[in-house]
């Protein structure tokens, strides 16, 4: 029996829209069910958080100018949060114009704004409103939301999530003493930003260290910066219970009792799957997401799923892979994140691609050669007052780039160069010969590559002996 569509995309997320557009450009018959969920993390929230982050960084740069006697004395940063919110809404509207409600149908996409669920009988379909949508394949791109963990007393006392802080009014009305629970990049970002605007912040991290998946030097630098701006950091500490006493919220954290005016919960987000009847069509999921293989197929091979709560560019990459597999007769494209750059807007920002040094040594052993250079050697870093940071390259002795890691200002703007070099099989020598503009922070890539060359030359005893014979 023929199907009405080649692909039905479920979700009202950026990756859902881009998946539908990509599919229709491949001449597929596509339906987009723009199904939203309560407390769904959206583009507007991400943009406001990014702008809030940028505003805090601007205040820090103004302080640098003040200390250098370049600008008039600045007693405080003028926090016009209402203007910040208005600008965030304007940016969101401009971004939304690319694929608004009138453009998508003009592209050939059947847009359906309704809630729906899967059904199995008489055959696999998705019921949206009063319509039963039959398709060769389906893609779930419904996004994520923050869920309250099972901490005794938390539901009664109440808390905020980063989604609640996507409004200027919520940020401006925050009380003085704040407890942030979580070890995500969003938790670290919020902690430093709120501390820099004068809040007393306690960050509670259940793991033994922050960012355990990153290079140890990067994690130590970010932790040092958190403590330098006044964040009280409790690492390796789990929240046992929460109580409200005399108008204050008290958290029992191992053997400590932490007093705060408000609790901000930044635990990992969970997928939006409520009401989709996934169990009825054989799709399995757990707290962290829908179970999928490396082709993005769920336990039901006709249903695909994409999305990452922490890495937006991973969500869109997954959507692209899922669309190609869903539309081709035989799914053959696999998810490969080895060359996918990632950026965390911590303080300072962190960017990475490829293996860490530990991962590389597990595979290549003593054939791994690493080097790093500090930001402070760059004239641009001295001019901008952004000297905290470094760039590290992890490579095989033959020059093959295995990973790149950088902490510092604007790292997200040039980590893509390392990712491209890795994908195109370029070696460190070629990266060192890539002449980047002077007085830019991207120059750290060239400096680090040249340092790697010099270090490799020093370790080459044959060349050293030849030079001594000359």
């Amino acid at each position: 029996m023929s199907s009405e569509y080649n692909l039905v995309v479920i979700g009202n997320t950026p990756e859902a829209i881009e998946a539908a557009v990509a599919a229709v450009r491949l001449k597929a018959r596509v339906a987009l069910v723009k199904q939203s969920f309560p407390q769904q993390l959206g583009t507007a929230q991400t943009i406001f958080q990014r702008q809030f982050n940028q505003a805090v960084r601007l205040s820090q740069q103004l302080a640098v100018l003040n200390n250098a006697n370049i600008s008039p004395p600045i007693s405080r940063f003028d926090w016009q949060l209402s203007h910040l919110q208005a600008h965030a809404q304007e940016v969101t509207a401009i971004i939304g114009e690319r694929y608004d409600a009138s453009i998508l149908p003009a592209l050939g996409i059947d847009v359906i704004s309704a809630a729906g669920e899967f059904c199995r009988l008489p055959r696999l379909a998705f019921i949206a409103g009063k319509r039963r949508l039959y398709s060769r394949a389906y893609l779930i791109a419904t996004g994520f939301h923050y869920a309250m963990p099972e901490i005794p007393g938390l539901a009664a006392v109440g808390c905020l999530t980063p989604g609640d802080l996507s409004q200027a009014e919520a940020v401006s009305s925050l009380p003085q003493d704040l407890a942030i629970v979580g070890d995500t990049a969003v938790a670290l970002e919020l902690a430093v930003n709120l501390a820099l605007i004068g809040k007393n912040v306690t960050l509670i991290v259940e793991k033994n260290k922050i960012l355990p998946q990153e290079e140890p030097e990067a994690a130590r630098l970010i932790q040092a910066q958190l403590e330098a701006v006044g964040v009280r950091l409790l690492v390796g500490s789990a929240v046992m219970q929460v109580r409200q006493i005399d108008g204050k919220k008290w958290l029992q954290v191992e053997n400590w009792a932490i007093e705060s005016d408000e609790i901000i919960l930044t635990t990992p987000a969970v997928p939006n799957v409520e009401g989709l009847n996934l169990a009825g069509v054989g799709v399995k999921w757990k707290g962290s997401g829908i179970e999928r293989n490396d082709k993005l197929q769920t336990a039901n091979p006709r249903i695909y799923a994409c999305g990452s709560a922490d890495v937006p560019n991973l969500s869109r990459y997954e959507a692209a892979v899922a669309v190609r597999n869903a539309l081709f007769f035989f799914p053959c494209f696999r998810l490969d994140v080895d060359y996918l750059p990632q950026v965390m807007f911590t303080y300072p920002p962190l960017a990475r691609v490829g293996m860490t040094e530990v991962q590389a040594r597990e595979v290549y052993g003593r054939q791994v050669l690493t080097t790093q250079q500090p930001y402070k050697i760059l004239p641009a870093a001295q001019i901008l007052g952004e000297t905290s940071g470094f760039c590290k390259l992890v490579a095989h002795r033959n020059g093959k780039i295995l990973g790149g890691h950088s902490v510092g200002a604007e790292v997200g703007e040039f980590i893509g160069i390392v990712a491209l070099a890795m994908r195109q099989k370029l070696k460190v020598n070629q990266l060192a010969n890539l002449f980047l503009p002077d007085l830019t922070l991207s120059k750290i890539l060239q400096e680090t590559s040249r340092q790697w060359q010099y270090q490799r030359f020093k370790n080459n005893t044959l060349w050293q002996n030849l030079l001594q014979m000359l």
Side-chain angles (χ1 to χ4, degrees), residues 84-325:
L84 186 66
Q85 177 66 25
H87 188 234
Q89 292 174 348
E90 181 181 352
V91 172
T92 304
I94 293 172
I95 293 174
E97 289 176 357
R98 183 183 180 189
Y99 296 129
D100 64 13
S102 62
I103 292 178
L104 294 177
L107 294 175
I109 300 171
D110 189 1
V111 180
I112 304 167
S113 297
E117 65 176 5
F118 284 99
C119 68
R120 184 171 58 89
L121 298 174
R123 62 192 179 105
L124 180 63
F126 190 83
I127 302 174
K130 297 181 179 180
R131 293 184 57 181
R132 188 180 292 261
L133 308 177
Y134 294 104
S135 178
R136 194 174 72 183
Y138 302 84
L139 174 60
I140 303 171
T142 48
F144 296 79
H145 70 278
Y146 289 107
M148 188 174 296
E150 296 181 359
I151 299 175
L154 182 61
V157 171
C159 64
L160 299 176
T161 68
D164 298 321
L165 298 181
S166 62
Q167 301 293 327
E169 296 79 7
V171 177
S172 59
S173 62
L174 281 176
Q176 185 63 24
D177 297 323
L178 303 171
I180 300 178
V181 181
D183 59 356
T184 61
V186 174
L188 304 179
E189 180 182 335
L190 276 175
V192 70
N193 287 341
L194 293 173
L196 287 172
I197 65 172
K199 304 297 183 181
N200 300 324
V201 179
T202 299
L203 178 59
I204 303 167
V205 177
E206 185 172 355
K207 296 179 181 177
N208 291 328
K209 58 181 180 179
I210 67 171
L211 302 175
Q213 73 281 7
E214 304 299 333
E215 288 286 350
E217 305 98 308
R220 286 195 295 268
L221 176 57
I222 291 174
Q223 179 170 338
Q225 291 291 78
L226 284 167
E227 295 171 344
V229 300
V231 175
R232 180 187 181 189
L233 193 60
L234 299 180
V235 180
S237 306
V239 179
M240 312 302 292
Q241 67 171 332
V242 179
R243 300 179 62 186
Q244 187 151 3
I245 304 174
D246 297 331
K248 291 281 189 177
K249 298 182 179 184
W250 287 82
L251 299 89
Q252 181 185 341
V253 183
E254 302 293 345
N255 296 325
W256 294 284
I258 307 300
E259 177 187 12
S260 69
D261 296 318
E262 187 56 90
I263 300 171
I264 302 175
L265 195 68
T266 63
T267 50
V270 297
N272 293 318
V273 297
E274 297 82 2
L276 294 179
N277 190 29
L278 297 185
V281 290
V283 176
K284 301 177 181 179
W285 77 94
K286 51 187 177 181
S288 58
I290 298 174
E291 294 184 5
R292 314 160 301 174
N293 59 21
D294 58 357
K295 299 177 183 178
L296 283 308
Q297 289 174 303
T298 66
N300 187 323
R302 289 176 58 193
I303 300 176
Y304 295 78
C306 69
S308 170
D310 300 322
V311 189
N313 62 327
L314 176 57
S315 296
R316 299 184 184 189
Y317 171 50
E318 288 182 347
V321 173
V323 165
R324 285 180 288 174
N325 282 329

Side-chain angles (χ1 to χ4, degrees), residues 400-420:
K400 178 183 177 182
I401 305 171
L402 304 174
H405 306 265
S406 192
V407 179
E410 307 298 337
V411 291
E413 301 299 329
F414 57 79
I415 191 64
I417 298 176
V418 183
L420 179 62

Side-chain angles (χ1 to χ4, degrees), residues 373 375 378 391-393 404-406 411 413-419 428 431-434 436 440-452:
Q373 288 285 73
Y375 254 49
L378 297 177
C391 178
K392 178 175 182 177
L393 287 178
H405 306 265
S406 192
V411 291
E413 301 299 329
F414 57 79
I415 191 64
I417 298 176
V418 183
V428 178
L431 195 60
N433 293 329
L434 179 65
L436 297 168
T440 62
L441 295 175
S442 63
K443 194 76 172 177
I444 192 70
L445 285 179
Q446 190 175 23
E447 296 293 340
T448 308
S449 302
R450 289 177 173 177
Q451 178 64 21
W452 186 92

